[in-house]
Amino acid sequence: MSFPPPSRSVQTALGCTCAAAARASAGGGEPDGAAGRFGPTHALILLIAFLGLGSILFLAGTELDTVFALLGGCGAIGAATLTAAGGGRRLMTVLVEAAVRSGTGK
């Protein structure tokens, strides 16, 4: 069973927003870069999520050492992701080298 193609207005309404940003940058205009930045609102949301998750795990009977280890691992993964996405590849390389060297005892 085949469906007829959608009309032109439906195709533009369902289009990707990144295509509009690409058209704006190709035309000399700057796309809105604030949408992809990590700001204070994001930090507050993550802080609340971490405090909530830690509290729930503690109230569920998880040992405090385990809660700290889990939240520390989540924080490390998040920091590495933000560093890589933010263009801090050199900083990330230095941190990974330091971690490997400390793990090997050099």
Side-chain angles (χ1 to χ4, degrees):
M1 178 177 192
S2 65
F3 296 103
S7 68
R8 180 78 175 144
S9 62
V10 173
Q11 288 176 348
T12 56
L14 297 176
C16 177
T17 58
C18 57
R23 280 194 301 268
S25 65
E30 289 285 328
D32 185 21
R37 293 191 182 153
F38 183 76
T41 305
H42 297 107
L44 179 64
I45 291 170
L46 287 176
L47 177 66
I48 291 170
F50 265 65
L51 291 174
L53 179 61
S55 299
I56 289 170
L57 287 172
F58 180 72
L59 292 175
T62 307
E63 293 182 19
L64 203 52
D65 293 340
T66 307
V67 171
F68 288 143
L70 287 170
L71 293 180
C74 289
I77 291 170
T81 303
L82 286 174
T83 302
R89 292 185 188 359
R90 179 155 170 75
L91 173 64
M92 196 163 119
T93 303
V94 170
L95 292 176
V96 168
E97 286 177 1
V100 169
R101 288 181 187 191
S102 69
T104 59
K106 290 184 179 180

